């Protein structure tokens, strides 16, 4: 039972490059979320999805793009990476409304 | 704007002590309050509280919600070094989002 996985786990990229972070869950949860975690800010929601083909912005969506063509996958793309996007990114999923979220292991992204 | 505030931000105790972590919230269309434990990796789920005054327990951890005063506490009794972690509190709103506090860093010394 893999649960929720993220890849890559670590990534170093250069300013201006496009980067895609992958998230895959095996539970068939309808909801999926992307967060970034930075010192002093805690966890902040980037985007979320209530179902396939339904996505919505969170607190800090600028510079990011998401898609959800299949229930189990929720990739996050940084279209043109900036140093301010250096962070730890967590994907999470949830069965439905009013249930707890489960987090993936995280991706540590460094933009040089 | 929705917000969740945790206190203290950092706490150092000795093994065997009892600790109380605080979480206050202002969340539109509030649904539930969640607690997570984060060691060096992903947050792991501890409790979800939806009803006021009903304590939830798991071993040495317990939590309760006060919807009138808009706060929750997380208690840990007989602390162990393995309890050292960041404890995150989050409020769930009607918009399906979780709003997280900045966390309380707990250090338990032997």
């Amino acid at each position: 039972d893999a649960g929720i996985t993220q890849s890559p786990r670590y990534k170093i990229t250069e300013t201006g490059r496009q980067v895609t972070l992958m998230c895959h869950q095996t539970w068939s949860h309808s909801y999926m979320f992307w967060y970034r975690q930075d010192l002093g800010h805690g966890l902040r929601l980037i985007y979320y999805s209530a179902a396939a083909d339904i996505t919505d912005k969170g607190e800090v969506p600028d510079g990011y793009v998401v898609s959800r063509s299949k229930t189990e996958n929720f990739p996050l793309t940084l279209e043109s990476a900036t140093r301010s996007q250096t962070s730890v990114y967590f994907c999470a999923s949830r069965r439905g409304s009013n249930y707890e979220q489960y987090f993936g292991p995280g991706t540590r992204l460094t933009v040089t | 704007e929705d917000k969740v505030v945790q206190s203290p931000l950092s706490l150092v105790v000795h093994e065997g002590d009892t600790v109380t972590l605080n979480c206050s919230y202002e969340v539109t269309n509030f649904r539930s309050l969640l607690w997570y434990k984060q060691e060096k990796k992903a947050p792991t789920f501890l409790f979800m509280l939806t009803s006021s005054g009903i304590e939830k327990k798991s071993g040495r951890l317990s939590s309760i919600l006060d919807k009138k005063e808009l706060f929750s506490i997380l208690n840990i009794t007989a602390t162990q070094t393995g309890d050292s972690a960041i404890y995150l509190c989050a409020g769930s709103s009607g918009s399906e989002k979780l709003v997280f506090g900045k966390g309380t860093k707990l250090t338990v010394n032997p």
Side-chain angles (χ1 to χ4, degrees):
Chain A
D1 185 1
I4 183 165
T5 57
Q6 293 182 235
S7 61
R9 295 293 312 281
Y10 302 91
K11 177 76 176 178
I12 300 174
T13 191
E14 295 176 342
T15 300
R17 295 220 180 223
Q18 184 180 80
V19 177
T20 296
L21 309 183
M22 303 301 293
C23 179
H24 176 78
Q25 50 105 353
T26 59
W27 294 310
S28 299
H29 284 176
S30 53
Y31 288 86
M32 295 187 75
F33 305 82
W34 274 107
Y35 294 89
R36 59 178 291 173
Q37 188 173 37
D38 306 287
L39 276 174
H41 289 283
L43 279 162
R44 292 182 290 174
L45 182 66
I46 304 170
Y47 271 95
Y48 69 102
S49 169
D53 298 322
I54 300 174
T55 62
D56 207 351
K57 296 179 181 179
E59 183 184 353
V60 289
D62 293 343
Y64 302 95
V65 174
V66 293
S67 62
R68 191 147 177 230
S69 57
K70 292 184 178 181
T71 299
E72 60 267 30
N73 297 324
F74 191 38
L76 175 75
T77 298
L78 288 67
E79 294 185 295
S80 178
T82 65
R83 289 195 183 89
S84 65
Q85 293 177 309
T86 292
S87 186
V88 180
Y89 291 84
F90 288 104
C91 179
S93 71
R94 190 177 81 199
R95 184 177 8 158
S97 291
N98 218 29
Y99 288 90
E100 63 272 21
Q101 288 184 16
Y102 291 95
F103 285 82
T107 294
R108 183 175 294 276
L109 176 68
T110 302
V111 183
T112 62
Chain B
E1 184 180 328
D2 294 342
K3 66 178 179 180
V4 173
V5 178
Q6 294 185 243
S7 65
L9 291 180
S10 180
L11 188 57
V12 181
V13 301
H14 291 290
E15 263 192 322
D17 288 351
T18 292
V19 298
T20 298
L21 309 184
N22 303 295
C23 175
S24 65
Y25 64 90
E26 293 176 26
V27 174
T28 307
N29 297 324
F30 175 81
R31 284 189 177 180
S32 58
L33 192 289
L34 294 91
W35 284 97
Y36 287 85
K37 177 183 181 182
Q38 186 175 24
E39 296 171 269
K40 292 190 177 176
K41 35 196 176 179
T44 54
F45 173 73
L46 294 174
F47 297 111
M48 184 167 75
L49 304 155
T50 55
S51 300
S52 210
I54 299 174
E55 185 182 52
K56 290 210 171 181
K57 291 194 75 170
S58 176
R60 296 175 293 102
L61 278 66
S62 64
S63 184
I64 197 162
L65 176 67
D66 186 326
K67 292 170 79 171
K68 182 180 177 184
E69 301 297 330
L70 306 183
F71 79 90
S72 174
I73 60 171
L74 175 69
N75 281 319
I76 309 174
T77 60
T79 52
Q80 301 171 359
T81 55
D83 295 327
S84 295
I86 296 173
Y87 290 84
L88 299 168
C89 167
S92 172
S93 74
S95 66
E96 308 292 358
K97 302 173 189 176
L98 281 185
V99 178
F100 280 86
K102 293 183 179 179
T104 293
K105 182 177 180 181
L106 174 65
T107 302
V108 182
N109 290 324

